Amino acid sequence: MIKIIPEVKKLEIENKEIYIEGIVILGDISAFSKKELENFIAKKTKYKIDSNGYQIIFGIKGNANAEWYQIEMTENQMSVFAASEEGIFRAVQTIKQILCQKLYVLKIEDEPANNFRAFMLDVGRYFYPIEDVKTIVDYIALYKFNYFHIHLTEDQGWRFESKLYPKLTIKGCKRSHTNFGFKKEEGFYTQEQLKELVDYCHKRYIKVIPEIDMPGHTMSALACYPELSCFDRKLKVSTHWGIKFDIMCAGKDFTYKFCKDIIDELCEIFTDEYIHIGGDEALKLRWSMCEHCKKKLAELELDNMEQLQIYFANYMADYIAQKGKKTIMWYNKYNEKDKIVPNKDIIVQFWGTRKDKEFCKVVESDRKVITSNSSGYYIDLPYGYITLSDSYNTQGITGLENAGKLFGYETCLWTEYVKDIEKAKFNMFPRVFAISEIFWSGEGKRDYNKFLEKLPFNVDFVAKFGVKVPRKGIYNPNKIRKFFSKLWFEKRQLVWQGLYLTVDNFLLKQKIKRKNKK
Ligand code: ACM
Ligand code: ZN
């Protein structure tokens, strides 16, 4: 048996073992992929690179899917054909796993069932040094993801260097303390570092989607530029998790200018086709109190503040379209019959559970939809909430008949409670194994028992890359362990600052009342 994750589309294997010592890589393969494979062989397998060794020969062969490849392994040689350099890179990932197992005469043909397989890292809550971000990219490359979504800004930290708004990374990238104690937390990426990151991903055939969350989750920006908020308030970079009451004002011209300027800077660095504008969890509390927002609503003749947010998103999406790019945003409630609905070319990303009627309606309305089903693909959640088997068995959408209508799949690693790469690895593995198989091999191929048979080999395989996968009792916990795992996570309720927000809101209302009386 050969144990490849994600499962390949077709595998024929003969009971004929192959014995080799040295390996030579030949044929049509990019210098980067060749070096990758040679380094892997030399450092992580028992074989040597030897010009007289067993030949792995690469070639290009036409196929409609750029990621398609085939591998034919005989006693004499391994021949690999792929539709493109990208396909060769994916094949190399499979070959790495093959070379760490007993070798047999075999034939593989493979291609992804889904062309959008994304992994999201939130570097806003906790800053991850750029080297750690690259390590995470290495991991997702091994498991054939092809998009890296980097959530660059949050209430708790702004990580993107802006030359136009320097305060964002002087002040906005620092919080005085965190969920984990009275320790400062800070950091940002220079534009130069981000360009390098994009290049790093591209070499691995991973496209990058940068996200600037707007208008909500922006306390770090409001703290630097109070004029972005509805009442020009002096605010602080948030210390703790939770949905905040203050968001960017949708009535002031400055907000629109600020966001467009940031998009301009972003597009210079992130050269791929998608820009993510967030849009999640934007409470309308301030907007409904704000003269600027109310005036804007009246001018636009909209019915409510939710529609104002759709207007705001469409405005940004139009701007992004002018720059030749496409917009992704988190789903916001709307009705197709509303005065205003999201532009048809905006890709909508859902994170609710897929039994959700709204989700199915949007999928059926022929919009492009990404599923990040939070009952399986939200791997920030502890194993007590999302076990390995949940990640494997969670459907992107309820009812496989709709699966073909999905534009893409994305797993999200939020970091409110994932403070560094060690915890990130713990949360990722083994769930990323399961998710990669759903995303690459497709929902129809799901076979949990077979997956479990392949798991121990993959645990050993990632150990070569510094990942220690937790044991079964942790990733598929019993009831007691589940309870404690949830309890650990839910201690966050004690620090979400709800009381602080309620008092702050009350005081603001009083202040407005007094001002109106004058
Ligand atoms: C989200 O989970 N707020 C996108
Ligand atoms: Zn406002």
Side-chain angles (χ1 to χ4, degrees):
M1 239 303 266
I2 179 144
K3 296 166 176 163
I4 297 163
I5 292 180
E7 184 64 18
V8 296
K9 191 171 173 185
K10 266 195 219 154
L11 166 70
E12 287 168 32
I13 187 159
E14 282 179 40
N15 198 9
K16 238 190 244 168
E17 215 176 317
I18 301 174
Y19 299 92
I20 63 176
E21 283 174 8
I23 296 176
V24 60
I25 296 167
L26 303 169
D28 213 348
I29 178 169
S30 73
F32 177 81
S33 293
K34 185 174 182 198
K35 192 102 210 113
E36 254 255 320
L37 187 52
E38 281 179 348
N39 279 344
F40 177 82
I41 291 167
K43 292 186 184 149
K44 316 269 189 206
T45 74
K46 60 185 178 191
Y47 309 116
K48 295 190 293 284
I49 295 296
D50 171 0
S51 55
N52 296 316
Y54 181 83
Q55 297 183 341
I56 302 183
I57 307 170
F58 288 87
I60 300 284
K61 198 171 180 177
N63 191 284
N65 192 328
E67 294 183 290
W68 173 92
Y69 68 87
Q70 67 179 29
I71 296 172
E72 190 167 349
M73 190 165 187
T74 67
E75 278 150 314
N76 302 322
Q77 66 176 49
M78 181 193 282
S79 53
V80 186
F81 285 100
S84 65
E85 275 300 334
E86 184 177 0
I88 286 188
F89 186 80
R90 304 291 177 240
V92 164
Q93 308 318 311
T94 302
I95 295 166
K96 286 178 185 171
Q97 291 192 29
I98 291 174
L99 293 178
C100 294
Q101 306 182 53
K102 273 190 184 173
L103 304 178
Y104 290 98
V105 170
L106 60 75
K107 272 191 199 163
I108 285 174
E109 186 172 347
D110 200 13
E111 67 183 334
N114 300 298
N115 293 327
F116 186 102
R117 308 174 306 278
F119 179 95
M120 190 209 81
L121 179 67
D122 165 14
V123 291
R125 265 45 175 269
Y126 278 92
F127 175 71
Y128 280 55
I130 196 78
E131 289 312 316
D132 290 348
V133 177
K134 289 179 183 167
T135 300
I136 288 175
V137 170
D138 289 342
Y139 294 151
I140 65 170
L142 280 174
Y143 286 89
K144 302 192 176 89
F145 286 79
N146 63 346
Y147 283 89
F148 179 56
H149 169 183
I150 183 162
H151 182 84
L152 282 166
T153 61
E154 255 309 330
D155 293 314
Q156 294 81 3
W158 185 284
R159 311 302 181 194
F160 170 67
E161 180 193 33
S162 162
K163 311 262 192 208
L164 300 171
Y165 300 94
K167 282 189 220 163
L168 292 169
T169 48
I170 294 172
K171 182 174 178 186
C173 71
K174 299 177 184 168
R175 55 174 163 160
S176 58
H177 58 287
T178 74
N179 311 313
F180 291 102
F182 289 93
K183 226 174 89 183
K184 268 204 304 204
E185 201 274 334
E186 65 182 278
F188 73 93
Y189 308 111
T190 63
Q191 294 198 354
E192 219 37 57
Q193 283 175 321
L194 290 170
K195 278 186 193 155
E196 273 170 33
L197 176 66
V198 170
D199 184 51
Y200 192 89
C201 290
H202 286 175
K203 288 206 168 87
R204 289 152 182 81
Y205 297 91
I206 293 174
K207 291 183 178 163
V208 188
I209 303 167
E211 178 183 354
I212 301 291
D213 208 339
M214 57 179 87
H217 289 287
T218 44
M219 291 292 282
S220 57
L222 307 189
C224 302
Y225 297 94
E227 57 272 43
L228 280 173
S229 69
C230 283
F231 298 93
D232 292 13
R233 308 182 75 206
K234 273 205 175 126
L235 296 160
K236 284 193 179 138
V237 178
S238 303
T239 53
H240 287 76
W241 81 289
I243 302 172
K244 311 300 172 194
F245 291 179
D246 284 281
I247 66 174
M248 287 177 177
C249 176
K252 291 184 187 170
D253 292 344
F254 178 60
T255 302
Y256 293 82
K257 175 174 171 19
F258 174 89
C259 291
K260 285 195 292 186
D261 285 344
I262 295 292
I263 289 167
D264 285 345
E265 288 189 280
L266 210 59
C267 288
E268 287 295 311
I269 294 157
F270 294 94
T271 48
D272 292 318
E273 117 189 78
Y274 302 114
I275 300 286
H276 203 306
I277 56 167
D280 57 322
E281 299 176 329
L283 296 183
K284 307 302 175 321
L285 197 67
R286 291 286 177 266
W287 287 10
S288 57
M289 295 156 70
C290 165
E291 291 310 318
H292 306 284
C293 288
K294 285 196 264 191
K295 187 161 163 250
K296 189 86 179 174
L297 189 81
E299 273 171 20
L300 296 168
E301 298 181 4
L302 298 176
D303 298 328
N304 56 49
M305 291 299 175
E306 295 304 327
Q307 291 184 10
L308 183 57
Q309 187 180 350
I310 303 284
Y311 166 82
F312 175 86
N314 284 349
Y315 182 96
M316 295 308 159
D318 284 343
Y319 189 68
I320 288 167
Q322 282 170 32
K323 302 181 81 73
K325 294 187 189 280
K326 300 192 176 109
T327 298
I328 306 178
M329 70 174 202
W330 298 108
Y331 174 69
N332 275 279
K333 258 192 201 321
Y334 67 88
N335 189 320
E336 289 289 351
K337 294 198 190 90
D338 286 348
K339 254 187 197 157
I340 183 166
V341 294
N343 290 347
K344 273 276 180 185
D345 51 5
I346 295 181
I347 299 163
V348 179
Q349 183 168 6
F350 274 81
W351 74 95
T353 63
R354 300 307 132 222
K355 289 187 192 88
D356 204 324
K357 284 210 181 79
E358 276 171 64
F359 175 71
C360 295
K361 255 201 228 157
V362 175
V363 173
E364 274 155 23
S365 73
D366 72 88
R367 287 174 181 279
K368 285 187 177 165
V369 171
I370 296 168
T371 176
S372 294
N373 188 342
S374 55
S375 30
Y377 312 151
Y378 258 35
I379 56 171
D380 56 309
L381 293 171
Y383 288 101
Y385 279 110
I386 296 185
T387 65
L388 174 65
S389 101
D390 292 335
S391 284
Y392 196 82
N393 291 308
T394 291
Q395 294 182 346
I397 182 166
T398 314
L400 277 181
E401 68 284 1
N402 275 329
K405 293 188 187 157
L406 291 175
F407 174 72
Y409 288 74
E410 181 169 313
T411 181
C412 299
L413 183 58
W414 300 100
T415 58
E416 283 136 332
Y417 279 72
V418 183
K419 67 178 166 47
D420 57 27
I421 186 154
E422 286 312 312
K423 185 70 177 28
K425 290 194 239 177
F426 174 86
N427 274 35
M428 285 173 73
F429 294 102
R431 289 186 289 206
V432 161
F433 297 147
I435 289 166
S436 77
E437 189 149 303
I438 302 310
F439 290 10
W440 173 276
S441 317
E443 301 221 26
K445 269 263 194 175
R446 198 183 255 120
D447 181 341
Y448 188 52
N449 288 331
K450 188 170 178 195
F451 171 78
L452 288 181
E453 281 173 24
K454 299 187 295 184
L455 185 59
F457 163 70
N458 274 269
V459 169
D460 293 343
F461 180 71
V462 290
K464 293 176 188 288
F465 301 91
V467 177
K468 188 171 179 305
V469 177
R471 63 201 156 74
K472 186 176 165 199
I474 292 176
Y475 64 70
N476 275 340
N478 61 23
K479 276 194 183 138
I480 298 170
R481 204 183 271 276
K482 258 190 184 176
F483 173 80
F484 281 105
S485 157
K486 286 181 184 175
L487 196 67
W488 174 82
F489 190 68
E490 289 307 339
K491 72 181 192 295
R492 67 192 184 139
Q493 302 297 349
L494 300 174
V495 291
W496 83 280
Q497 297 180 310
L499 186 63
Y500 169 82
L501 292 178
T502 309
V503 172
D504 178 54
N505 189 46
F506 175 78
L507 294 175
L508 179 65
K509 275 188 175 159
Q510 297 300 314
K511 197 169 148 191
I512 294 168
K513 248 192 213 162
R514 280 199 301 275
K515 200 173 144 202
N516 288 345
K517 260 191 201 155
K518 270 187 208 162

